[in-house]
Short mmCIF file of all heavy atoms in Angstrom, two decimals:
data_model
loop_
_atom_site.label_atom_id
_atom_site.label_comp_id
_atom_site.label_asym_id
_atom_site.label_seq_id
_atom_site.Cartn_x
_atom_site.Cartn_y
_atom_site.Cartn_z
N CYS A 335 168.06 100.06 87.01
CA CYS A 335 168.53 99.38 88.23
C CYS A 335 169.52 100.30 88.94
O CYS A 335 169.95 101.32 88.38
CB CYS A 335 169.21 98.05 87.89
SG CYS A 335 170.84 98.19 87.16
N GLY A 336 169.85 99.94 90.17
CA GLY A 336 170.79 100.74 90.95
C GLY A 336 172.21 100.61 90.43
O GLY A 336 172.54 99.67 89.70
N ARG A 337 173.04 101.56 90.82
CA ARG A 337 174.47 101.46 90.49
C ARG A 337 175.10 100.38 91.36
O ARG A 337 174.60 100.06 92.43
CB ARG A 337 175.18 102.78 90.80
CG ARG A 337 174.90 103.87 89.79
CD ARG A 337 175.51 105.17 90.31
NE ARG A 337 175.19 106.29 89.45
CZ ARG A 337 176.03 106.83 88.56
NH1 ARG A 337 177.27 106.38 88.45
NH2 ARG A 337 175.66 107.84 87.82
N VAL A 338 176.20 99.86 90.89
CA VAL A 338 176.96 98.90 91.68
C VAL A 338 177.94 99.69 92.54
O VAL A 338 178.89 100.26 92.02
CB VAL A 338 177.68 97.89 90.77
CG1 VAL A 338 178.56 96.96 91.60
CG2 VAL A 338 176.66 97.11 89.96
N PHE A 339 177.68 99.78 93.84
CA PHE A 339 178.59 100.50 94.75
C PHE A 339 179.48 99.51 95.50
O PHE A 339 180.55 99.18 95.02
CB PHE A 339 177.79 101.37 95.72
CG PHE A 339 177.25 102.64 95.08
CD1 PHE A 339 175.89 102.86 95.00
CD2 PHE A 339 178.11 103.60 94.57
CE1 PHE A 339 175.39 104.02 94.42
CE2 PHE A 339 177.62 104.77 93.98
CZ PHE A 339 176.26 104.97 93.91
N SER A 340 179.01 99.00 96.64
CA SER A 340 179.89 98.15 97.44
C SER A 340 179.68 96.66 97.21
O SER A 340 180.29 95.84 97.88
CB SER A 340 179.73 98.49 98.93
OG SER A 340 178.36 98.54 99.30
N GLY A 341 178.81 96.30 96.26
CA GLY A 341 178.73 94.90 95.84
C GLY A 341 179.51 94.72 94.55
O GLY A 341 180.36 95.55 94.21
N THR A 342 179.22 93.62 93.83
CA THR A 342 179.93 93.36 92.58
C THR A 342 178.93 93.27 91.42
O THR A 342 177.73 93.06 91.64
CB THR A 342 180.70 92.02 92.64
OG1 THR A 342 179.74 90.95 92.73
CG2 THR A 342 181.63 91.97 93.85
N PHE A 343 179.44 93.38 90.21
CA PHE A 343 178.58 93.26 89.03
C PHE A 343 177.98 91.85 88.95
O PHE A 343 176.82 91.69 88.55
CB PHE A 343 179.38 93.57 87.76
CG PHE A 343 179.64 95.04 87.59
CD1 PHE A 343 180.81 95.62 88.08
CD2 PHE A 343 178.71 95.87 86.97
CE1 PHE A 343 181.05 96.98 87.94
CE2 PHE A 343 178.93 97.23 86.83
CZ PHE A 343 180.11 97.79 87.32
N GLU A 344 178.76 90.84 89.35
CA GLU A 344 178.25 89.46 89.35
C GLU A 344 177.06 89.34 90.29
O GLU A 344 176.04 88.73 89.96
CB GLU A 344 179.35 88.47 89.79
CG GLU A 344 180.44 88.23 88.76
CD GLU A 344 181.46 89.36 88.70
OE1 GLU A 344 181.43 90.28 89.56
OE2 GLU A 344 182.28 89.36 87.77
N GLN A 345 177.20 89.93 91.49
CA GLN A 345 176.11 89.87 92.47
C GLN A 345 174.86 90.58 91.93
O GLN A 345 173.75 90.07 92.02
CB GLN A 345 176.53 90.56 93.78
CG GLN A 345 177.52 89.76 94.61
CD GLN A 345 177.96 90.53 95.85
OE1 GLN A 345 177.98 91.77 95.86
NE2 GLN A 345 178.32 89.80 96.89
N MET A 346 175.07 91.77 91.38
CA MET A 346 173.92 92.55 90.91
C MET A 346 173.21 91.82 89.78
O MET A 346 171.97 91.77 89.74
CB MET A 346 174.41 93.92 90.44
CG MET A 346 173.31 94.91 90.17
SD MET A 346 172.37 95.31 91.68
CE MET A 346 171.70 96.91 91.21
N SER A 347 173.98 91.24 88.88
CA SER A 347 173.41 90.51 87.76
C SER A 347 172.57 89.33 88.28
O SER A 347 171.43 89.11 87.86
CB SER A 347 174.55 90.03 86.86
OG SER A 347 174.08 89.17 85.88
N ALA A 348 173.10 88.60 89.25
CA ALA A 348 172.38 87.45 89.82
C ALA A 348 171.13 87.92 90.57
O ALA A 348 170.07 87.28 90.50
CB ALA A 348 173.30 86.66 90.76
N SER A 349 171.23 89.03 91.27
CA SER A 349 170.09 89.54 92.03
C SER A 349 168.96 89.96 91.09
O SER A 349 167.78 89.69 91.36
CB SER A 349 170.52 90.74 92.89
OG SER A 349 171.43 90.30 93.89
N LEU A 350 169.31 90.60 89.99
CA LEU A 350 168.28 91.01 89.03
C LEU A 350 167.64 89.79 88.37
O LEU A 350 166.43 89.75 88.15
CB LEU A 350 168.88 91.95 87.98
CG LEU A 350 169.30 93.32 88.54
CD1 LEU A 350 170.08 94.11 87.48
CD2 LEU A 350 168.10 94.14 89.00
N GLU A 351 168.46 88.79 88.10
CA GLU A 351 167.90 87.55 87.53
C GLU A 351 166.93 86.90 88.50
O GLU A 351 165.88 86.38 88.11
CB GLU A 351 169.02 86.55 87.22
CG GLU A 351 169.45 86.60 85.78
CD GLU A 351 170.54 85.58 85.45
OE1 GLU A 351 170.36 84.38 85.72
OE2 GLU A 351 171.58 86.01 84.92
#
Side-chain angles (χ1 to χ4, degrees):
C335 74
R337 285 172 185 258
V338 176
F339 284 117
S340 49
T342 66
F343 285 93
E344 287 78 8
Q345 287 176 331
M346 191 64 157
S347 172
S349 294
L350 292 171
E351 263 182 54

